Amino acid sequence: MPLPRRCEGAQGQAKRKLSAPTGETGARPRVSASVPSMRGAVKAALAVTLAWSALGLLANGAVGKAGSGATAKAAGGQAFVRVNQVGYPATAPKRAYLMSTKSETGEAFTVRSGEGTAVFTGTVGASQGRWSKSFEYVYALDFNAVQAPGTYTVSVEGRTPASSPAFAIASAQALYERPLANTLSFYENERDGPEYIPSALRTAPAHLNDEHAMTYATPAVNDEGEFKGELESLGETIDAAGGWWDAGDYLKFVQTTSYAVDLMEIGVRDFPAQMGAASARSNFTEEARFGVEWLLRMWNDDTRTLYYQVGIGEGNANTIGDHDIWRLPQEDDAYGGENPLYRFIRHRPVFRAGPPGSPVSPNLAGRDAAAFAECFQVFHLTRPELAGRCLLSAEHIFELANTDPRGNLLTTIPFDFYPETEWRDDLELGATELAIALSSASGDDASSELPAGLPHTQALYYLEDAAHWAGEYLAHNPEGGEGLNLYDVSGLADFELVRALRAAGEESGLAVGEAQLIAGLGEKLQAAEEQSRSEPFGFGFPWSEADTASHGDGLSVMASEYDYLAGASSPEGEPPYEASAARWLGNVLGANAWGSSFIVGDGSTFPDCLQHQVANIVGSLNGSPPVLAGAVVEGPSGETSKGKLPGMRACPVEGGNAFARFNSAKAKYKDNVQTYTNTEPAIDLTASSMLAFSWQMASPGPLRGEPALTPALASRPFVPPL
């Protein structure tokens, strides 16, 4: 999979404006911005006490820039022990990795408590394979028997000794409560408009001029997003205030926002004790409301008109775009005074998808319909007026989906920022959530809770549509497609559709049935397992491709979904993908070659130098707060880009790449503000992490009418991991 473009970042800007070297290979420039994290000397002091607040210990700290844990050079050798730095649930599988320049087979490894007491001893087995030319040996160190809550390290003695950073063993609730709260904090810090939330990073609202933003036709642009001449004004203003910034820039997109809202609302609905009103630390309900209300502003239900983007990334000789300058967001409303060069910074354009009532690109129609339908599911009892608006909008925009799209789907300006090609999964998700919404009304007369004027009031209508699009997706993706991420939501849509079918109690006559959907989900997981077996850290997605961290979180979610749907149907009576779900999430949280978590604030070593303007300008560069906690970054990829703009604070201050020695021939990681391909966070990259954490903590609550998992339901065809 080629590296897709995000919002073109400083590297693209530098290439055009500053003639700086970029290191680009036709890859995805996101918006530049930098955010150092909580590591450095402060983390070194805290690493020994790594554990979450539920254990009464500190949650972050770090040990050294180049991956955490004690390292050793012995007779020219080097070794490192990599762990899930957030920790391990007490009763779950536990695996660390020993990465060494020399053979360690037959050596002893020891798990020690925080007091230094040896609680478990094992023997290093055969190597899992070679990571790089330097590190030819990687070993799996399993210690499932250690279950007592506490803080631990894993150490290896022998010819090349090494020790891990400290990590916690506790209940999943205790371990993942803080990371989930960090995720909520990330979205709160990404808020635009008057409903901003004051924090150490945010001191003022931004882009209040969006409340009366002028609308424009979509311009013709080149691959970099540059347009010629002037934008074509449509003569109408809309209220486009609110919403989240997409990434490290200040653009706002329906495509990425709808994806984040889809996952967030499902989390609020299914995990009330983790993400809903029953959560003491991470109630996402208001954040979901904030996100969906911006989507409603971008959809005029009266005229059936979709607007899909606020702001322009690249300008031209006559105008400056969002990606051409480095600044705090609250500066934009008056940026440049009366200088016309900055007119689209002060008064940001809003782009219309098409004339009123025209067909809507099916990816956006499906995702918006899902977000609006889930809004009804979440809010129909507590905010009935909002819920009614949402459900009407969901049905109306779904009706306008263009089911025979030609050329590129509509995503962003330019398309290369987010080059999505699959859309049938989006329509499957939209139709499924509409079916669930129509079934979720409670009371003796459920129809009384539905808004007047709905084109369809029967769930079966949308179940038929959902099954149709699920079948079309399977037919067009015979190899299974991708795991859950911005570009493919089938891993979520199939899960939701199976549950909707079970709640309806019948599936006769539909294009696909429950068994096919579960098998399709299993095929994706089998492909991830095959990938896991091809690399020594057992990651289910190639480290050299784009959005590695987000893909790992998405695979963890899918593995948990499969186990929920199939039940304990493996020959051993255990959830077949439980270990994989934990392992893939653990890979993202530090059990990887670099020894870094790729989620800010989660674990003992994580990115200090995010490409994110607010965090770079206001945040810490040395590991101490404030940081953009909860932000999921791109992670390792096939390249490390560079390029800078005036005002960008250098990070790391001393330059260099402390992680370079851990890079392989194909997979590279650099913690640097200029390296958008590794360190830029985004709302879509972060979205699957909240579900991954929640799944580790609990099973989802049932949908209305969904039966509890019974032996009959659990006896589905078992699709074993490879």
Side-chain angles (χ1 to χ4, degrees):
M1 166 179 163
L3 286 167
R5 292 180 182 271
R6 294 248 172 206
C7 314
E8 180 174 62
Q11 43 292 341
Q13 305 157 16
K15 182 177 181 180
R16 179 166 56 81
K17 289 177 60 68
L18 306 176
S19 299
T22 67
E24 291 187 84
T25 58
R28 92 196 263 152
R30 276 188 174 259
V31 146
S32 331
S34 108
V35 180
S37 276
M38 316 162 148
R39 197 171 48 236
V42 173
K43 293 183 186 175
L46 296 176
V48 177
T49 57
L50 174 63
W52 302 113
S53 57
L55 298 176
L57 301 173
L58 297 175
N60 41 34
V63 190
K65 179 71 178 176
S68 54
T71 67
K73 288 186 177 182
Q78 281 189 300
F80 299 86
V81 178
R82 307 309 200 191
V83 296
N84 178 339
Q85 295 169 14
V86 167
Y88 300 85
T91 59
K94 302 172 187 68
R95 173 169 288 187
Y97 295 91
L98 170 64
M99 182 173 71
S100 178
T101 59
K102 293 182 177 292
S103 174
E104 301 269 11
T105 299
E107 299 290 348
F109 73 90
T110 303
V111 180
R112 298 184 183 277
S113 68
E115 294 74 33
T117 303
V119 299
F120 179 85
T121 300
T123 301
V124 178
S127 174
Q128 301 277 99
R130 170 178 168 169
W131 169 250
S132 67
K133 184 177 180 180
S134 298
F135 293 95
E136 296 193 30
Y137 305 93
V138 178
Y139 303 90
L141 309 179
D142 293 324
F143 52 103
N144 300 343
V146 183
Q147 298 189 1
T151 304
Y152 297 88
T153 58
V154 177
S155 60
V156 179
E157 303 301 332
R159 55 180 69 91
T160 313
S163 181
S164 76
F167 59 88
I169 291 178
S171 69
Q173 179 70 32
L175 290 173
Y176 288 107
E177 182 181 43
R178 181 161 180 166
L180 192 54
N182 284 345
T183 307
L184 176 58
S185 173
F186 167 74
Y187 283 99
E188 291 174 341
N189 274 309
E190 288 287 287
R191 281 193 181 199
D192 198 27
E195 284 192 85
Y196 94 104
I197 296 177
S199 72
L201 293 174
R202 298 291 309 283
T203 59
H207 303 116
L208 300 183
N209 288 347
D210 285 354
E211 292 180 329
H212 44 84
M214 181 58 67
T215 58
Y216 294 83
T218 298
V221 298
N222 63 18
D223 288 346
E224 301 300 320
E226 297 171 340
F227 62 95
K228 294 181 179 180
E230 297 295 329
L231 296 177
E232 178 189 347
S233 171
L234 298 175
E236 295 183 30
T237 61
I238 68 166
D239 179 2
W244 301 299
W245 307 317
D246 176 62
D249 61 347
Y250 303 131
L251 301 181
K252 298 184 292 193
F253 301 129
V254 165
Q255 190 209 23
T256 52
T257 298
S258 59
Y259 173 75
V261 170
D262 287 349
L263 273 61
M264 189 179 294
E265 289 178 322
I266 285 175
V268 171
R269 181 198 72 195
D270 286 354
F271 298 98
Q274 288 71 42
M275 292 183 61
S279 173
R281 298 191 60 183
S282 50
N283 183 355
F284 283 77
T285 307
E286 276 301 295
E287 207 59 27
R289 187 273 310 163
F290 176 81
V292 79
E293 285 190 341
W294 183 76
L295 291 175
L296 285 170
R297 292 189 191 102
M298 299 295 284
W299 166 250
N300 186 327
D301 198 50
D302 292 333
T303 64
R304 309 293 200 271
T305 306
L306 178 67
Y307 304 92
Y308 67 98
Q309 178 170 326
V310 178
I312 186 74
E314 303 305 316
N316 55 29
N318 301 318
T319 184
I320 292 295
D322 184 275
H323 297 166
D324 294 321
I325 54 178
W326 193 264
R327 77 288 186 198
L328 290 176
Q330 57 264 36
E331 299 173 18
D332 280 5
D333 282 346
Y335 199 96
E338 298 299 319
N339 189 335
L341 195 63
Y342 299 99
R343 63 194 182 280
F344 290 138
I345 301 297
R346 294 187 298 272
H347 300 284
R348 306 201 297 175
V350 174
F351 295 99
R352 191 181 71 179
S358 60
V360 176
S361 189
N363 54 319
L364 299 184
R367 284 191 198 171
D368 255 6
F372 296 150
E374 291 166 12
C375 165
F376 182 84
Q377 298 168 35
V378 171
F379 294 110
H380 74 280
L381 295 179
T382 57
R383 295 176 180 262
E385 189 277 333
L386 171 63
R389 287 176 55 211
C390 282
L391 190 54
L392 282 166
S393 295
E395 294 209 9
H396 293 157
I397 197 170
F398 191 83
E399 280 188 330
L400 288 177
N402 178 4
T403 58
D404 187 25
R406 305 297 172 90
N408 291 337
L409 298 174
L410 182 63
T411 59
T412 58
I413 303 171
F415 173 74
D416 281 356
F417 281 178
Y418 291 101
E420 183 182 10
T421 58
E422 182 53 71
W423 51 272
R424 300 161 190 86
D425 55 321
D426 298 306
L427 292 182
E428 177 193 355
L429 182 63
T432 299
E433 298 307 332
L434 277 163
I436 294 172
L438 293 174
S439 299
S440 65
S442 59
D444 294 333
D445 182 12
S447 62
S448 65
E449 296 187 14
L450 299 176
L454 280 179
H456 306 283
T457 60
Q458 299 301 311
L460 182 59
Y461 176 86
Y462 289 109
L463 279 179
E464 291 174 344
D465 260 4
H468 167 76
W469 290 117
E472 288 294 304
Y473 175 91
L474 291 172
H476 284 84
N477 294 274
E479 296 182 0
E482 283 196 59
L484 174 62
N485 73 102
L486 176 68
Y487 300 96
D488 192 331
V489 298
S490 63
L492 180 64
D494 288 354
F495 172 71
E496 290 283 279
L497 182 52
V498 171
R499 298 179 70 196
L501 293 175
R502 289 179 177 178
E506 62 175 286
E507 56 183 64
S508 59
L510 298 181
V512 298
E514 181 180 329
Q516 290 170 276
L517 294 167
I518 295 176
L521 187 59
E523 287 175 4
K524 289 184 175 67
L525 292 169
Q526 286 188 75
E529 288 285 356
E530 185 173 4
Q531 162 61 30
S532 295
R533 295 168 70 90
S534 72
E535 76 96 21
F537 291 92
F539 192 44
F541 188 76
W543 288 111
S544 59
E545 296 196 10
D547 299 353
T548 47
S550 176
H551 276 86
D553 292 338
L555 286 172
S556 180
V557 171
M558 290 169 55
S560 297
E561 291 173 344
Y562 183 92
D563 285 352
Y564 175 88
L565 295 178
S569 59
S570 70
E572 296 78 20
E574 298 294 331
Y577 290 103
E578 178 184 20
S580 298
R583 182 176 73 247
W584 293 329
L585 182 58
N587 291 143
V588 175
L589 294 170
N592 56 62
W594 300 271
S596 175
S597 168
F598 301 117
I599 307 180
V600 178
D602 297 349
S604 52
T605 297
F606 48 82
D608 285 339
C609 302
L610 305 191
Q611 191 178 99
H612 187 282
Q613 292 175 92
V614 170
N616 175 250
I617 296 171
V618 180
S620 158
L621 301 182
N622 63 3
S624 59
V627 298
L628 192 63
V632 177
V633 300
E634 300 267 7
S637 69
E639 63 168 315
T640 55
S641 56
K642 63 180 179 178
K644 61 183 179 180
L645 286 173
M648 180 186 287
R649 297 169 70 199
C651 187
V653 175
E654 69 281 6
N657 181 11
F659 291 94
R661 59 178 164 162
F662 305 126
N663 290 340
S664 70
K666 293 183 178 180
K668 301 173 176 62
Y669 176 70
K670 185 176 184 179
D671 185 10
N672 190 298
V673 61
Q674 299 184 33
T675 313
Y676 71 92
T677 50
N678 299 150
T679 65
E680 189 170 18
I683 59 173
D684 68 283
L685 296 178
T686 303
S688 55
S689 67
M690 56 187 142
L691 291 183
F693 297 147
S694 296
W695 272 106
Q696 290 296 307
M697 297 163 76
S699 292
L703 300 176
R704 181 176 176 81
E706 182 183 11
L709 192 64
T710 65
L713 287 174
S715 60
R716 310 295 169 185
F718 171 58
V719 182
L722 295 177

